[in-house]
Amino acid sequence: MSTTSVSIEASGSSAAKTFSAAVVGASGYTGALLAELLMRHPALALSAVSSDTQAGTPVAAVLPRVRTDLDFCRHDDVAGVDAAFVCLPEGAAAPIVKRLLDAGSRVVDLSPDFRLSAEAYSEWYGEHPYPELLPGVYGLTELNRAQIAAAQLVANPGCYPTAALLALEPLHALGLQDVIIDAKSGVSGAGKAPSERTHFCSVDSDLLAYGIGGHRHYPELQAGLDIDGHGPALSFLPHMVPMQRGILETIYVRAEQHPTACELRKLYAVVYADERFVEVCDEPPRLRDVAGTNYCRIFVTVDERAGRIVLVVAIDNLLKGACGQALQNMNVMLGLPEQEGLL
Amino acid sequence: MSTTSVSIEASGSSAAKTFSAAVVGASGYTGALLAELLMRHPALALSAVSSDTQAGTPVAAVLPRVRTDLDFCRHDDVAGVDAAFVCLPEGAAAPIVKRLLDAGSRVVDLSPDFRLSAEAYSEWYGEHPYPELLPGVYGLTELNRAQIAAAQLVANPGCYPTAALLALEPLHALGLQDVIIDAKSGVSGAGKAPSERTHFCSVDSDLLAYGIGGHRHYPELQAGLDIDGHGPALSFLPHMVPMQRGILETIYVRAEQHPTACELRKLYAVVYADERFVEVCDEPPRLRDVAGTNYCRIFVTVDERAGRIVLVVAIDNLLKGACGQALQNMNVMLGLPEQEGLL
Amino acid sequence: MSTTSVSIEASGSSAAKTFSAAVVGASGYTGALLAELLMRHPALALSAVSSDTQAGTPVAAVLPRVRTDLDFCRHDDVAGVDAAFVCLPEGAAAPIVKRLLDAGSRVVDLSPDFRLSAEAYSEWYGEHPYPELLPGVYGLTELNRAQIAAAQLVANPGCYPTAALLALEPLHALGLQDVIIDAKSGVSGAGKAPSERTHFCSVDSDLLAYGIGGHRHYPELQAGLDIDGHGPALSFLPHMVPMQRGILETIYVRAEQHPTACELRKLYAVVYADERFVEVCDEPPRLRDVAGTNYCRIFVTVDERAGRIVLVVAIDNLLKGACGQALQNMNVMLGLPEQEGLL
Amino acid sequence: MSTTSVSIEASGSSAAKTFSAAVVGASGYTGALLAELLMRHPALALSAVSSDTQAGTPVAAVLPRVRTDLDFCRHDDVAGVDAAFVCLPEGAAAPIVKRLLDAGSRVVDLSPDFRLSAEAYSEWYGEHPYPELLPGVYGLTELNRAQIAAAQLVANPGCYPTAALLALEPLHALGLQDVIIDAKSGVSGAGKAPSERTHFCSVDSDLLAYGIGGHRHYPELQAGLDIDGHGPALSFLPHMVPMQRGILETIYVRAEQHPTACELRKLYAVVYADERFVEVCDEPPRLRDVAGTNYCRIFVTVDERAGRIVLVVAIDNLLKGACGQALQNMNVMLGLPEQEGLL
């Protein structure tokens, strides 16, 4: 075994890595997955993983997939890193993001704390501790690349808006009038905390339509579809489906213009021609084609009988909908190749 | 063990059963489930189960849940029964239904062969061998009870239309303008034949939007929503979800009138007040509340921001969406209590 | 609708029901399912459903499948019923069982509180408040029918022991030497309380071997296999599988005698010839053949290469492994046909 | 978008790749996954993907995850590659392997065609076309590294034997007497061909014990456990579990020596100290800790009551149990770092 064991560790070595990176908050799904991605990133060295409840414990004992010698530290102990990914609940993220920014780190915040305008934030969440920082640069990479490259703080989008806004972007030019987003998500979107709702026997063989009164991603979608204060009539209804990961959204649109299905596919092909992580496809996408990747796949057609545009869009909610896009954004912020460390 | 073994068989005895019943075509999910239901029905005696490919084999060897001593017979051998349930593929059902009708049996046909008008049938399926029998009495029990009671042949509705038409019925009075049915179904709806699409590894952890160009249930929905030749703009998009049974439909409606959510719930409560198998509920229904039963649960509300009515409706696709409703219809046809043999 | 609505309620009427029945503790899976079964039982009238946390709430609001007008009462309010099913956690059951016995009710206790001898109980659980009641009559119906018929209190067996002891019973005569029970269970066996272990994302696409150090069902198995103080070397290792319901046990046995597979099947056929709910089958049973029923299906063969008997046994853990057998026992206690109210 | 799009393709470039590689037979799960792994391998350039039924079609149209410009070629068109992975059914692999060997390629064969001795092969499969090539070098990398490094042909192990033989290896020294392998596998192990057995509705919520009479992996296990013609009494019983990927094996062992659990863990830690892809763990491994990786995780303990060693071992059946180990073997054959291209 001796001859090969030397080289085995080579690619895992952090000697050649350019930037130090921290995951702040690794008790949930996104923090754990980001730590795993960073371990394999060729230019970012995982230098800290925090969890206030697990501080002092070896990371690998709690997260066997993260094969590192690091122990968990406390959130407040994270300092001096080039790149910080904040994976904390809403409200808890803002003060820590502020501290890391003041200390000079580049920050991608995966919480909703910096996604909205000050007005929208106060309407949906209440008072914000740093309204002057609102809204952060919205990290939908394909749509905001230039601002992201120049930003110190990027607000990583919610999973549902990521899929919907990528799918709807090319239609803005047609005059959006009416948009219905019927979204289906895996259970990881509901987070890791055990609850009646996430119990296996509650989810398996069942479907849950939830957030009918108003899901917290609604204002984010609304802001993304609004142009000069005018947005379409927007309905957004998420469903929880018996699977762990993935979001599939079926979107029904009425627009002022009425292109054919063929014209629409050409439009989409042009808009996303240079994008590595967005694929326009000839039939409705499957989650298995994006699972474990940072890709977004979009299908567009026209329901001739009803005179309506229909879109089907698929992403992995934990990757393009969270950790993958966060890493994509950080790559852009650091001037690295955008796909570095991503599948 | 001797003391109780005598009484054990009592309730299974067919001595007291009033009518003889046959299942024609028990190779698929619906035929097998109907045979199981009939075994336990207090007034219908299971007297024949047919399968051309299994003829001669003991039923219980193939379908262990159907604890009967019957052997499978051939379809053509079914004769002289009071009640026949035809569970054959489209096209194959019609000639056998015709023969059974001529022989005097009451027939519930679970195929689409008798659901449509002669015009709609020829548009979607081609020529019908007995166009003079079209359309059969449409077996949505709650809406057509009187005609069903008088019929010799009932065309059992498709699973998707059953849920949608029950959910939409009370809204007809408001002037339906625009209807989008985003349907999610378990895999049993795709039938028992093995295919790439129904392979476990294709379904699990995935979602499939299918039939976008035009699902065979579209004309049935269209016919059910049409009033005097005027129907709403209708989109219907089914999705296959990683679960065996159940249909959940989320329906987005624009109508001429704009009642409040509260007014709508009152309307639904009135319309379905006397119905045992339709329940109007205060929050979106779950499949687990209808699984294994003949119930349909409906939730209605208004999306205030978009000015739209939203419905969520749930049924077990193999029961209220197929076998359960078939039995409910036969009970009505035979003058038996409507819920007999149903949970 | 009026013509049939009268008869619809007929079979649900409790007028003709002979005995009153209560479910004590309906917050978990077993209590809820027992309430549902009792609603449909022809001779037992559901007269009380208790839950200390839900007292005062309509049962149907919490458990939509239990279509009753009853409100939840407190455990202490249950009194004067002919038949009581106690579905409380270990330790909580004993005092309430005692009170109900003193008041004259017949009781089936689904907890482990009365299953063991006083010695075994104190070793595994600590001190028992009523050691003089230990062990209760062990409610494995097929093996203990006479004592159950005469009992006021029956200790309903655990789910794993029900399957294993039914499968092993015919082998006692061969001199059991070595028994390994490799058990696979659905998640409902872990109960309804949310936990990291029962989170959908923890269970789906995974398997958990648990209780390796000593599962609480071990002493119950040991007692069931012990004859005159001599039992086989026994290993019992349960696994949690990504499904809601069902137990499949693969059992590897060495015995003093070495019958052929053919002789074993004959032996099993004879032993269980008169049992409605035990079926000896020609190939390994599937859970789908017992799901939703009170049946136990057993396959027995010989692994010729290793000289070992191999058994595969399947039950629905919530029915034959809990509620179904509880009802079967109560039927026997009350002198009703044993299968009454069971599928 | 222009600034980053240049660098995006850099890491996918095959310019710097040292060896050309072909996947022969990409219609099934293993071929498709190998193509995906090779796309990302830093030193192996994917230069051909064959499928006789898909020849001429773009690979990416059929396998969207394999983002390549290649078209499928025919098996017979694969030639002149440094490294070939043969993913064909048993029997179909041998002639193509022979041709590739004759042409000078290094070959890893994922079929069972070269795993057994000529005697064992003829007993289980019939006559072999090239018995002089039997047995091939058995590619359990950790146990056979030196021979693999020197081989032109490596027979990649079956998924079940990979897990079992890694788990049992350290116990050979204790004198194995009796071994029971109770294996649980995801459905992908049954292959991609649709069948009644792999239909979603057959698998979901169910468990299948299969191959009781003799699974084709039995002789491979037997050969691996045999020392000087003496092997333990061996039982092997696989079960299909409702999940796509992963194998968990619970192994019950009696040995001549009786070490404590603590001694066993030390033994395992020593044996596997230098192995990157084998981890000895402190509690039973979970599939989620190995899913999508090439790792094998092993837990060892002693069941004190029965005096038996118990092992639990987990791998991803498509990676360490097939494609991952195939790539690990090819890395060794080519003198590359063993973990290159593997997670």
Side-chain angles (χ1 to χ4, degrees), chain A residues 4 180 190 212 220 227 241 284:
Chain A
T4 58
I180 295 172
I212 277 188
E220 201 179 327
I227 297 181
V241 175

Side-chain angles (χ1 to χ4, degrees), chain D residues 25-50:
Chain D
S27 302
Y29 294 129
T30 53
L33 183 53
L34 259 168
E36 193 183 335
L37 293 176
L38 287 170
M39 259 203 347
R40 304 197 294 253
H41 194 288
L44 289 173
L46 180 63
S47 62
V49 182
S50 80

Side-chain angles (χ1 to χ4, degrees), chain A residues 202-214:
Chain A
S202 175
V203 173
D204 181 62
S205 303
D206 208 341
L207 290 174
L208 175 70
Y210 69 101
I212 277 188

Side-chain angles (χ1 to χ4, degrees), chain D residues 144-170:
Chain D
N144 279 338
R145 198 171 272 120
Q147 298 101 298
I148 293 165
Q152 193 194 353
L153 167 63
V154 165
N156 215 55
C159 50
Y160 289 123
T162 293
L165 296 177
L166 285 174
L168 288 164
E169 172 70 12

Side-chain angles (χ1 to χ4, degrees), chain C residues 73-92:
Chain C
C73 63
R74 298 183 56 81
H75 305 327
D76 287 344
D77 296 334
V78 176
V81 293
D82 299 311
F85 298 89
V86 178
C87 305
L88 294 171
E90 60 196 39

